[in-house]
Short mmCIF file of all heavy atoms in Angstrom, two decimals:
data_model
loop_
_atom_site.label_atom_id
_atom_site.label_comp_id
_atom_site.label_asym_id
_atom_site.label_seq_id
_atom_site.Cartn_x
_atom_site.Cartn_y
_atom_site.Cartn_z
N GLU A 1 0.83 -1.21 0.00
CA GLU A 1 0.00 0.00 0.00
C GLU A 1 0.86 1.26 0.00
O GLU A 1 0.53 2.23 -0.69
CB GLU A 1 -0.97 0.01 1.17
CG GLU A 1 -1.93 1.18 1.09
CD GLU A 1 -3.10 1.08 2.04
OE1 GLU A 1 -3.58 -0.04 2.30
OE2 GLU A 1 -3.54 2.15 2.52
N ARG A 2 1.94 1.26 0.74
CA ARG A 2 2.82 2.44 0.72
C ARG A 2 3.36 2.69 -0.68
O ARG A 2 3.43 3.85 -1.13
CB ARG A 2 3.98 2.26 1.70
CG ARG A 2 3.59 2.39 3.16
CD ARG A 2 4.82 2.58 4.03
NE ARG A 2 5.78 1.50 3.90
CZ ARG A 2 5.80 0.42 4.67
NH1 ARG A 2 4.89 0.28 5.63
NH2 ARG A 2 6.71 -0.52 4.49
N GLY A 3 3.74 1.64 -1.38
CA GLY A 3 4.25 1.79 -2.73
C GLY A 3 3.21 2.34 -3.69
O GLY A 3 3.51 3.21 -4.52
N ILE A 4 1.99 1.85 -3.60
CA ILE A 4 0.91 2.34 -4.46
C ILE A 4 0.62 3.81 -4.16
O ILE A 4 0.47 4.63 -5.08
CB ILE A 4 -0.35 1.48 -4.29
CG1 ILE A 4 -0.12 0.07 -4.84
CG2 ILE A 4 -1.55 2.13 -4.97
CD1 ILE A 4 -1.25 -0.89 -4.58
N ARG A 5 0.56 4.16 -2.89
CA ARG A 5 0.30 5.55 -2.52
C ARG A 5 1.40 6.48 -3.02
O ARG A 5 1.12 7.60 -3.49
CB ARG A 5 0.15 5.66 -1.00
CG ARG A 5 -1.17 5.13 -0.46
CD ARG A 5 -1.22 5.16 1.05
NE ARG A 5 -2.50 4.71 1.56
CZ ARG A 5 -3.54 5.49 1.83
NH1 ARG A 5 -3.42 6.81 1.67
NH2 ARG A 5 -4.67 4.99 2.28
N ALA A 6 2.63 6.04 -2.92
CA ALA A 6 3.74 6.88 -3.37
C ALA A 6 3.65 7.14 -4.87
O ALA A 6 3.87 8.28 -5.33
CB ALA A 6 5.07 6.23 -3.02
N ARG A 7 3.32 6.11 -5.64
CA ARG A 7 3.22 6.30 -7.09
C ARG A 7 2.02 7.17 -7.45
O ARG A 7 2.10 8.01 -8.36
CB ARG A 7 3.11 4.93 -7.77
CG ARG A 7 2.95 5.01 -9.28
CD ARG A 7 4.18 5.62 -9.93
NE ARG A 7 4.00 5.73 -11.37
CZ ARG A 7 4.08 6.87 -12.05
NH1 ARG A 7 4.36 8.01 -11.41
NH2 ARG A 7 3.91 6.89 -13.36
N LEU A 8 0.90 7.01 -6.75
CA LEU A 8 -0.27 7.85 -7.01
C LEU A 8 0.02 9.31 -6.66
O LEU A 8 -0.49 10.22 -7.33
CB LEU A 8 -1.47 7.35 -6.21
CG LEU A 8 -2.12 6.07 -6.74
CD1 LEU A 8 -3.19 5.57 -5.76
CD2 LEU A 8 -2.73 6.28 -8.12
N ALA A 9 0.80 9.54 -5.64
CA ALA A 9 1.16 10.91 -5.28
C ALA A 9 1.91 11.60 -6.41
O ALA A 9 1.79 12.82 -6.61
CB ALA A 9 1.99 10.92 -4.01
N GLU A 10 2.66 10.82 -7.17
CA GLU A 10 3.39 11.36 -8.32
C GLU A 10 2.49 11.51 -9.54
O GLU A 10 2.50 12.54 -10.22
CB GLU A 10 4.55 10.43 -8.69
CG GLU A 10 5.62 10.28 -7.64
CD GLU A 10 6.64 9.22 -8.01
OE1 GLU A 10 6.40 8.46 -8.97
OE2 GLU A 10 7.68 9.15 -7.33
N ALA A 11 1.72 10.46 -9.82
CA ALA A 11 0.97 10.41 -11.08
C ALA A 11 -0.40 11.07 -11.01
O ALA A 11 -0.89 11.59 -12.02
CB ALA A 11 0.81 8.95 -11.52
N ARG A 12 -1.06 11.03 -9.84
CA ARG A 12 -2.41 11.58 -9.69
C ARG A 12 -2.49 12.33 -8.35
O ARG A 12 -3.26 11.96 -7.46
CB ARG A 12 -3.46 10.47 -9.73
CG ARG A 12 -3.54 9.69 -11.02
CD ARG A 12 -4.12 10.52 -12.16
NE ARG A 12 -4.39 9.69 -13.33
CZ ARG A 12 -3.48 9.38 -14.25
NH1 ARG A 12 -2.23 9.84 -14.13
NH2 ARG A 12 -3.80 8.64 -15.30
N PRO A 13 -1.72 13.42 -8.20
CA PRO A 13 -1.66 14.10 -6.90
C PRO A 13 -2.98 14.70 -6.43
O PRO A 13 -3.16 14.95 -5.23
CB PRO A 13 -0.60 15.18 -7.13
CG PRO A 13 -0.59 15.41 -8.60
CD PRO A 13 -0.87 14.06 -9.20
N ASP A 14 -3.90 14.96 -7.35
CA ASP A 14 -5.17 15.57 -6.97
C ASP A 14 -6.25 14.55 -6.64
O ASP A 14 -7.34 14.92 -6.20
CB ASP A 14 -5.67 16.48 -8.10
CG ASP A 14 -4.74 17.65 -8.36
OD1 ASP A 14 -4.12 18.13 -7.39
OD2 ASP A 14 -4.62 18.06 -9.54
N ASP A 15 -5.99 13.27 -6.86
CA ASP A 15 -6.97 12.23 -6.59
C ASP A 15 -6.95 11.82 -5.13
O ASP A 15 -5.91 11.90 -4.45
CB ASP A 15 -6.70 11.00 -7.46
CG ASP A 15 -6.99 11.24 -8.93
OD1 ASP A 15 -7.46 12.35 -9.27
OD2 ASP A 15 -6.75 10.31 -9.74
N GLY A 16 -8.08 11.33 -4.63
CA GLY A 16 -8.15 10.77 -3.30
C GLY A 16 -7.73 9.31 -3.28
O GLY A 16 -7.67 8.66 -4.33
N ILE A 17 -7.46 8.82 -2.09
CA ILE A 17 -7.07 7.42 -1.90
C ILE A 17 -7.80 6.87 -0.68
O ILE A 17 -7.91 7.54 0.35
CB ILE A 17 -5.55 7.27 -1.68
CG1 ILE A 17 -4.77 7.88 -2.84
CG2 ILE A 17 -5.17 5.80 -1.51
CD1 ILE A 17 -3.26 7.91 -2.60
N PHE A 18 -8.28 5.64 -0.80
CA PHE A 18 -8.80 4.90 0.35
C PHE A 18 -8.17 3.52 0.33
O PHE A 18 -8.43 2.73 -0.58
CB PHE A 18 -10.32 4.80 0.28
CG PHE A 18 -10.94 3.99 1.39
CD1 PHE A 18 -10.37 3.93 2.66
CD2 PHE A 18 -12.10 3.27 1.17
CE1 PHE A 18 -10.94 3.18 3.67
CE2 PHE A 18 -12.69 2.52 2.18
CZ PHE A 18 -12.11 2.48 3.44
N GLY A 19 -7.32 3.24 1.30
CA GLY A 19 -6.65 1.96 1.37
C GLY A 19 -6.96 1.25 2.67
O GLY A 19 -7.25 1.88 3.68
N GLU A 20 -6.87 -0.06 2.64
CA GLU A 20 -7.20 -0.85 3.84
C GLU A 20 -6.29 -0.52 5.01
O GLU A 20 -6.74 -0.45 6.15
CB GLU A 20 -7.11 -2.35 3.53
CG GLU A 20 -7.39 -3.20 4.76
CD GLU A 20 -7.40 -4.69 4.49
OE1 GLU A 20 -7.06 -5.10 3.37
OE2 GLU A 20 -7.76 -5.44 5.41
N GLU A 21 -5.00 -0.33 4.75
CA GLU A 21 -4.06 -0.19 5.84
C GLU A 21 -3.86 1.23 6.33
O GLU A 21 -3.56 1.45 7.50
CB GLU A 21 -2.70 -0.78 5.43
CG GLU A 21 -2.76 -2.22 4.93
CD GLU A 21 -3.48 -3.15 5.87
OE1 GLU A 21 -3.50 -2.90 7.09
OE2 GLU A 21 -4.05 -4.15 5.39
N TYR A 22 -4.04 2.23 5.46
CA TYR A 22 -3.72 3.61 5.84
C TYR A 22 -4.88 4.58 5.64
O TYR A 22 -4.69 5.79 5.73
CB TYR A 22 -2.48 4.09 5.09
CG TYR A 22 -1.24 3.28 5.45
CD1 TYR A 22 -0.73 2.34 4.56
CD2 TYR A 22 -0.63 3.42 6.69
CE1 TYR A 22 0.39 1.58 4.89
CE2 TYR A 22 0.48 2.67 7.03
CZ TYR A 22 0.98 1.75 6.12
OH TYR A 22 2.08 1.00 6.46
N GLY A 23 -6.08 4.06 5.38
CA GLY A 23 -7.27 4.88 5.42
C GLY A 23 -7.44 5.84 4.25
O GLY A 23 -6.95 5.62 3.15
N VAL A 24 -8.14 6.96 4.54
CA VAL A 24 -8.56 7.91 3.52
C VAL A 24 -7.58 9.08 3.46
O VAL A 24 -7.14 9.59 4.48
CB VAL A 24 -9.98 8.43 3.80
CG1 VAL A 24 -10.37 9.48 2.78
CG2 VAL A 24 -10.98 7.28 3.79
N GLU A 25 -7.28 9.46 2.22
CA GLU A 25 -6.44 10.62 1.98
C GLU A 25 -7.07 11.43 0.85
O GLU A 25 -7.34 10.90 -0.22
CB GLU A 25 -5.04 10.17 1.58
CG GLU A 25 -4.06 11.28 1.28
CD GLU A 25 -2.70 10.75 0.88
OE1 GLU A 25 -2.39 9.58 1.21
OE2 GLU A 25 -1.95 11.49 0.22
N GLY A 26 -7.33 12.70 1.09
CA GLY A 26 -7.91 13.56 0.06
C GLY A 26 -9.43 13.43 0.00
O GLY A 26 -10.02 12.54 0.60
N SER A 27 -10.05 14.36 -0.75
CA SER A 27 -11.51 14.39 -0.82
C SER A 27 -12.00 14.60 -2.26
O SER A 27 -13.08 15.13 -2.48
CB SER A 27 -12.06 15.51 0.07
OG SER A 27 -11.50 16.77 -0.29
N SER A 28 -11.22 14.19 -3.22
CA SER A 28 -11.58 14.35 -4.62
C SER A 28 -12.76 13.45 -4.99
O SER A 28 -13.02 12.44 -4.34
CB SER A 28 -10.37 14.00 -5.50
OG SER A 28 -10.73 13.94 -6.86
N ASP A 29 -13.47 13.84 -6.08
CA ASP A 29 -14.52 12.95 -6.57
C ASP A 29 -13.94 11.75 -7.31
O ASP A 29 -14.65 10.83 -7.71
CB ASP A 29 -15.50 13.70 -7.47
CG ASP A 29 -14.83 14.35 -8.68
OD1 ASP A 29 -13.60 14.24 -8.82
OD2 ASP A 29 -15.55 14.99 -9.48
N ARG A 30 -12.62 11.75 -7.49
CA ARG A 30 -11.89 10.59 -8.03
C ARG A 30 -11.12 9.96 -6.88
O ARG A 30 -10.26 10.59 -6.28
CB ARG A 30 -10.92 11.04 -9.13
CG ARG A 30 -11.58 11.45 -10.42
CD ARG A 30 -10.57 12.12 -11.36
NE ARG A 30 -9.31 11.38 -11.44
CZ ARG A 30 -9.04 10.44 -12.36
NH1 ARG A 30 -9.94 10.13 -13.28
NH2 ARG A 30 -7.87 9.84 -12.38
N GLN A 31 -11.44 8.72 -6.57
CA GLN A 31 -10.82 8.05 -5.43
C GLN A 31 -10.28 6.69 -5.84
O GLN A 31 -11.00 5.86 -6.41
CB GLN A 31 -11.82 7.86 -4.29
CG GLN A 31 -11.21 7.25 -3.03
CD GLN A 31 -12.25 7.00 -1.95
OE1 GLN A 31 -13.18 6.22 -2.14
NE2 GLN A 31 -12.08 7.66 -0.82
#
């Protein structure tokens, strides 16, 4: 999950993320 989040931060910085291990990040309509 850390690896996926790190890559998304680079490629889709404006998108939100919801992961099992580290929860919700951001509030975009794209998650």
Side-chain angles (χ1 to χ4, degrees):
E1 186 167 326
R2 287 196 302 268
I4 292 174
R5 285 175 177 269
R7 178 64 182 123
L8 285 173
E10 297 173 349
R12 298 289 189 275
D14 296 327
D15 290 357
I17 303 173
F18 177 32
E20 178 176 7
E21 306 308 333
Y22 297 105
V24 177
E25 179 181 339
S27 57
S28 171
D29 59 359
R30 288 170 46 93
Q31 184 183 62

